[in-house]
Amino acid sequence: MNIAIILAGGKGTRFGAVDAEGQAVPKQFVEVFGKPVIAYTIEVFQNHPDIDAIEIVCVEGYREHLQAIKEKYGFSKIWWITPGGRNFQESVLNGVMALEGKANEEDVVLVNFGVNPIVSQEIISDCIKVTKEKGNAISAIDFYDISGRKKNGSSVGDKDNYTAEMIDRDSVAIMRTPYGFQYGFIRDAYQEALDKGILGEIEEHTTSMLYALDKPMYFSLGSQANIKITRKEDLDFFAGYVMWKKELGQQKGKRWGLFAD
């Protein structure tokens, strides 16, 4: 079985979206052309022929909202809705451990951000393929931009920050979701990290945990377009992408990954 874990556990307070009452709205539930971002993401996995089941790791207070999205768009592959954690790492941990007794050791589990809606069918297929061959996979692309190492860890918006050291871009891979694991591998990795007490000491990401455990991640197909919606301009990019894909699909009579038949 191939299972997608879609992460919708973040509160996204830095994004700044609010509803009509002025309450903060997690960015995965922000609407683009009347449809929540999370619905676009789920749809890609719902439409993929090799995905058998979907688990959503959901932020507190949005379970009923997510259930309504499931019913509205006919997302029949959503089998489980699991509570999110206090941070990214804990949300993935919750999602993985909630599959104990439901997933087999050899089952493929793909983890994808709810705010990575431009993931393609080809990316999903290759992530499954590499995971079956290597035990894990992470969607990645080569690094093309000129870049420098920051003098300190603050943002480039810090006027006292600067760079005085170039980074060899040939040595860098840009990694995005989805990433895939055989279920037994990722469950045991998290259990090992828990036993060693390292989860609170490392950057809050699954890849950071695997690095700390000296476990390599194997690359699968990625895309420059497969951005994570983090800032408002990312949402503008995605809205333009939706319009462009829809227009292209209408012109050529093709079915695109983001749209149901």
Side-chain angles (χ1 to χ4, degrees), residues 82-157:
T82 299
R86 292 169 297 178
N87 54 47
F88 174 91
Q89 189 82 270
E90 193 171 293
S91 289
V92 179
L93 175 62
N94 287 357
V96 168
M97 294 308 182
L99 293 177
E100 182 69 35
K102 303 179 180 75
N104 295 324
E105 297 288 301
E106 301 292 315
D107 284 347
V108 171
V109 175
L110 300 188
V111 179
N112 199 84
F113 291 123
V115 289
N116 269 71
I118 308 182
V119 57
S120 70
Q121 302 285 289
E122 293 78 15
I123 287 174
I124 294 170
S125 294
D126 197 59
C127 194
I128 293 171
K129 177 176 178 288
V130 175
T131 299
K132 287 182 176 179
E133 292 173 353
K134 302 288 190 179
N136 68 58
I138 188 164
S139 177
I141 59 173
D142 289 319
F143 187 52
Y144 302 112
D145 295 334
I146 298 171
S147 66
R149 195 175 308 280
K150 294 189 291 186
K151 183 63 178 178
N152 61 55
S154 66
S155 167
V156 293

Side-chain angles (χ1 to χ4, degrees), residues 2 4 6 35 39-52 54 75 77 110 112 116-130 139 177-178 220-223 225-226 241 245 254-261:
N2 299 320
I6 298 179
K35 183 174 180 176
Y40 286 99
T41 306
I42 296 169
E43 191 167 49
V44 186
F45 289 89
Q46 172 74 29
N47 290 340
H48 196 287
D50 294 332
I51 295 296
D52 300 297
I54 298 171
F75 292 145
K77 292 183 181 180
L110 300 188
N112 199 84
N116 269 71
I118 308 182
V119 57
S120 70
Q121 302 285 289
E122 293 78 15
I123 287 174
I124 294 170
S125 294
D126 197 59
C127 194
I128 293 171
K129 177 176 178 288
V130 175
S139 177
T177 60
S220 61
L221 179 68
S223 168
N226 185 23
Y241 181 88
K245 283 288 191 180
K254 293 182 178 178
R255 175 186 175 278
W256 295 91
L258 287 171
F259 302 98
D261 289 328

Side-chain angles (χ1 to χ4, degrees), residues 51-253:
I51 295 296
D52 300 297
I54 298 171
E55 177 190 20
I56 310 294
V57 179
C58 186
V59 64
E60 182 181 1
Y62 276 81
R63 185 185 182 93
E64 291 184 4
H65 189 49
L66 185 58
Q67 186 67 36
I69 290 172
K70 173 186 175 180
E71 294 172 2
K72 178 177 180 179
Y73 296 101
F75 292 145
S76 58
K77 292 183 181 180
I78 297 179
W79 289 9
W80 311 286
I81 300 176
T82 299
R86 292 169 297 178
N87 54 47
F88 174 91
Q89 189 82 270
E90 193 171 293
S91 289
V92 179
L93 175 62
N94 287 357
V96 168
M97 294 308 182
L99 293 177
E100 182 69 35
K102 303 179 180 75
N104 295 324
E105 297 288 301
E106 301 292 315
D107 284 347
V108 171
V109 175
L110 300 188
V111 179
N112 199 84
F113 291 123
V115 289
N116 269 71
I118 308 182
V119 57
S120 70
Q121 302 285 289
E122 293 78 15
I123 287 174
I124 294 170
S125 294
D126 197 59
C127 194
I128 293 171
K129 177 176 178 288
V130 175
T131 299
K132 287 182 176 179
E133 292 173 353
K134 302 288 190 179
N136 68 58
I138 188 164
S139 177
I141 59 173
D142 289 319
F143 187 52
Y144 302 112
D145 295 334
I146 298 171
S147 66
R149 195 175 308 280
K150 294 189 291 186
K151 183 63 178 178
N152 61 55
S154 66
S155 167
V156 293
D158 176 1
K159 301 306 179 185
D160 291 325
N161 204 355
Y162 63 92
T163 181
E165 179 186 356
M166 294 295 292
I167 294 175
D168 178 8
R169 54 189 170 185
D170 289 338
S171 69
V172 177
I174 298 176
M175 299 182 294
R176 293 172 175 156
T177 60
Y179 39 84
F181 312 96
Q182 289 182 333
Y183 179 69
F185 169 87
I186 192 59
R187 181 206 57 212
D188 292 349
Y190 265 111
Q191 190 59 58
E192 182 181 352
L194 287 169
D195 293 343
K196 292 182 175 179
I198 65 172
L199 289 184
E201 301 174 356
I202 57 176
E203 194 268 339
E204 298 168 357
H205 201 278
T206 308
T207 50
S208 302
M209 177 196 70
L210 294 174
Y211 293 152
L213 296 176
D214 198 27
K215 299 180 187 295
M217 289 289 292
Y218 293 92
F219 300 137
S220 61
L221 179 68
S223 168
Q224 187 88 342
N226 185 23
I227 63 168
K228 177 186 176 187
I229 296 175
T230 303
R231 300 168 297 184
K232 292 180 180 178
E233 55 261 43
D234 300 327
L235 195 67
D236 292 338
F237 175 88
F238 176 61
Y241 181 88
V242 171
M243 292 177 64
W244 176 65
K245 283 288 191 180
K246 188 172 183 178
E247 179 65 23
L248 223 55
Q250 289 173 345
Q251 289 180 4
K252 297 183 179 181

